[in-house]
């Protein structure tokens, strides 16, 4: 029995043209027994940053609460919103603090960072359970279907996708990956973050 | 001296894993069987060119993946059985018969299995393209496509999407094609392997794609393919071709 | 073996738990109430490691009561679930953790909705339309997938619960004999006989 596979679940994030997308499945299980088909693993951090937390479900909630607290404290002290890069390091150091008694979570971060010229730059990152950062330029995956996600996303993804095409790409990647994973699935949710809005869609998927 | 006081255990492990990935897709009147050529053990590459895909007859190609020693031995034995069949019946064994032969040969070793996943591709007696996939002890089924080996978990869901059109809805008034044309299949095969090479350390170096064409089928879809080599032995029957491509070596 | 179910319906939550207290192969007691009434509109079914269960349930009960005394209003179901979850999550990484499974059912007087939370000893908490713990869950969840209706009347809800209990009695080798059933709705908590 692997702790990382105890509850199941997967997350993927992708970069597009001036946009990013992050998506996850909605299953919560106890090993092979499914408990819920509406377990959220992706949380908004700011208007422009979303955080995916696949892994042990108790740590999903604990870390969500912890990051909410630490981001609130940052916002109050700094009197400004946290930037995705900064938040990624906050995630990393929070996880590394527990190097010898880990949270069983592999976080995925997706957001838009501000550029000096006033525009936005897509940002994605992921870490392992002890906070080793991976800044990818294309896509990041995590969770029980990660190997499947790598395969499909590597085949479907291309640079500079517009928001609607990015949505289709990330949705197809997720859906086809979780359909081959016994621990992920039972519905999916996709967030596409653009300069002026976040589009959230709940997907109908196979329920088996 | 101390070691004599304690009981010792020794074990010989007769198996190893040699990485790599294989894949086959059936068309209406053709079949494509492919595999990479890297052979590894752990983090070491033993060779960059070790074929995993073999021509059995003019209408049957077998891909073997898993423990290379078992794979090579198994192919050797299948080929031997097919030669005996030729001597006895003065013709090549039909594809579905080869599939059943492979099942019998694998199950014969149920309690000391050949540690290999087999995918058999070719042309059926009715002229249709076919793919048969096997587990190490002989469970088998005929399918339209299958990936096996180290990167099967990366490739199979991609194939579900691109070959079976899973999670895709056809445009109103249209339907998904049951069989894809040869150029599309070849593109998907090459994309699958470049993707697998990118993300899996045990996949890469070279790619061998075997194409089996049904009797009387023209070469349509293969015209633009560079460096294609014909392996056909008999005349006026099915034709076998091999296409070789480079994959990243890192 | 210990089994508990709960389901939501139109304006109510039904919580049911078996009444056996067993130790090894011996039934020590057959009329144990394993559903605590935490507040006027909050129920909690608990099961798990004997000792831990009552200890933790009473700890929760007293703290929920303390909150009500201090603030002059009770915790809403979602807030209570968060507090209980955190208690378990903190306990999990302590030297002696509680091994307790919970079903928290409540009626939210602010939103006029029934809420049900499935919580395990790790501190996993999720809001669900129906839930079960123990070996009974392997039978009840599939039945509830088929028969649960969030708009069902109380009579229909109880009939669905009866199906679950009957199925467990029929198919589970170590099935419990009796259940205690409690309901929470806008009028508060009450016990019913099936």
């Amino acid at each position: 029995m692997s702790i990382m596979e105890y509850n199941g679940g997967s997350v993927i994030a992708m970069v597009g043209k001036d946009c990013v997308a992050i998506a996850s499945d909605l299953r919560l299980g106890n090993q092979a027994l499914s408990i819920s088909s509406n377990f959220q693993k992706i949380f908004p951090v700011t208007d422009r940053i979303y955080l995916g937390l696949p892994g042990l479900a108790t740590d999903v909630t604990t870390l969500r609460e912890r990051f909410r607290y630490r981001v609130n404290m940052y916002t109050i002290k700094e009197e400004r919103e946290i930037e995705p890069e900064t938040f990624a390091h906050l995630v990393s150091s929070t996880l590394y603090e527990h190097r010898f008694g880990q949270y069983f979570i592999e976080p995925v971060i997706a957001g838009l960072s501000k550029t000096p010229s006033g525009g936005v730059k897509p940002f994605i990152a992921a870490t392992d359970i002890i906070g080793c950062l991976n800044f990818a330029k294309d896509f990041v995956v995590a969770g029980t279907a990660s190997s499947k996600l790598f395969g499909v996303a590597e085949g479907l993804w291309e640079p500079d996708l517009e928001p609607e095409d990015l949505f289709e790409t990330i949705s197809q990647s997720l859906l086809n990956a979780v359909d081959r994973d016994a621990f992920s699935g039972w519905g999916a949710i996709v967030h596409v973050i653009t300069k002026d809005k976040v589009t959230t869609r709940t997907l109908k998927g196979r329920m088996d | 001296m101390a070691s004599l006081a304690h009981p010792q255990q020794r074990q010989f492990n007769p198996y190893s894993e040699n990485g790599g990935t294989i894949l086959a897709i059936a068309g209406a009147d053709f079949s494509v069987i492919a595999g990479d050529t890297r052979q590894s053990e752990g983090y070491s590459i033993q060779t960059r060119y070790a074929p995993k895909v073999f021509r059995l007859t003019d209408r049957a190609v077998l891909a073997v993946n898993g423990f290379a020693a078992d794979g090579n031995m198994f192919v050797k034995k299948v080929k031997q059985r097919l030669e005996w069949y030729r001597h006895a019946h003065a013709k090549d064994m039909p594809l579905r018969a080869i599939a059943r032969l492979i099942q019998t040969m694998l199950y014969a070793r149920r309690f000391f299995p050949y540690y290999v996943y087999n995918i058999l591709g070719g042309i059926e007696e009715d002229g249709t393209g076919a793919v048969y996939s096997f587990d190490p002890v002989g469970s088998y089924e005929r399918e339209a496509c299958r990936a096996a080996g180290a990167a099967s978990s990366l490739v199979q869901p991609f194939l579900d999407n691109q070959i079976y059109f899973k999670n895709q809805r056809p445009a109103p008034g249209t339907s998904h094609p049951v069989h894809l044309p040869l150029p599309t299949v070849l593109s998907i095969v090459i994309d699958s392997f470049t993707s697998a090479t990118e993300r899996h350390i045990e996949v890469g170096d070279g790619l061998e794609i075997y194409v089996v064409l049904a009797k009387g089928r023209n070469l349509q879809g293969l015209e633009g393919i560079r460096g294609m080599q014909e392996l056909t032995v008999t005349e006026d029957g099915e034709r076998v071709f091999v296409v070789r491509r480079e994959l990243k070596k890192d | 073996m210990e089994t508990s179910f709960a389901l939501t319906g139109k304006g109510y939550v039904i919580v049911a738990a078996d009444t056996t207290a067993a130790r090894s192969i011996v039934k020590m007691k057959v009329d144990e109430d394993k559903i605590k009434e935490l507040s006027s509109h909050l129920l909690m079914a608990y099961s798990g490691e004997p000792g831990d269960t009552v200890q933790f349930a009473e700890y929760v009960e007293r703290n929920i009561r303390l909150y009500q005394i201090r603030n002059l209003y009770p915790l809403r179901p979602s807030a209570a679930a968060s507090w209980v979850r955190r208690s378990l999550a903190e306990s999990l990484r302590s030297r002696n953790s509680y091994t307790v499974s919970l079903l928290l059912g409540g009626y939210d007087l602010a939103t006029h909705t029934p809420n049900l939370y499935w919580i395990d000893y790790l501190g996993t908490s999720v809001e669900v339309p129906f839930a079960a713990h123990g070996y009974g869950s392997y039978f009840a969840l599939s039945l509830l997938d088929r028969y649960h209706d969030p708009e069902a009347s109380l009579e229909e809800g109880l009939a669905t619960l009866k199906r679950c209990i009957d199925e467990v009695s029929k198919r589970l080798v170590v099935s419990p004999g009796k259940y205690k059933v409690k309901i929470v709705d806008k009028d508060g908590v009450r016990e019913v006989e099936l």
Side-chain angles (χ1 to χ4, degrees), chain C residues 6-10 12 14 116 128-131 140-152 156-157 160-161 163-164:
Chain C
L7 60 143
T8 58
K10 196 171 173 60
Y12 63 84
I14 307 172
L116 172 62
V128 283
F130 51 81
L141 288 180
S142 49
L143 272 167
L144 287 161
D145 276 331
R146 174 66 184 78
Y147 294 108
H148 178 260
D149 174 9
E151 292 299 303
E156 290 170 307
T160 305
L161 177 71
R163 278 182 188 273
C164 296

Side-chain angles (χ1 to χ4, degrees), chain B residues 222-236:
Chain B
L222 286 172
E223 312 92 342
I225 306 296
R226 115 189 96 81
M228 189 178 68
Q229 186 191 338
E230 180 155 8
L231 304 173
T232 317
V233 173
T234 57
E235 278 180 40
D236 309 320

Side-chain angles (χ1 to χ4, degrees), chain A residues 20 43-50 71 81-82 84 110-112 114 191-199:
Chain A
V20 284
F43 307 98
V45 176
T46 69
D47 293 348
R48 283 204 187 79
I49 308 172
Y50 276 69
V71 168
E81 265 193 358
I82 197 166
L112 294 175
K114 290 201 188 86
H191 308 272
V192 181
I193 309 165
T194 54
K195 193 174 187 297
D196 36 44
K197 68 169 191 293
V198 179
T199 315

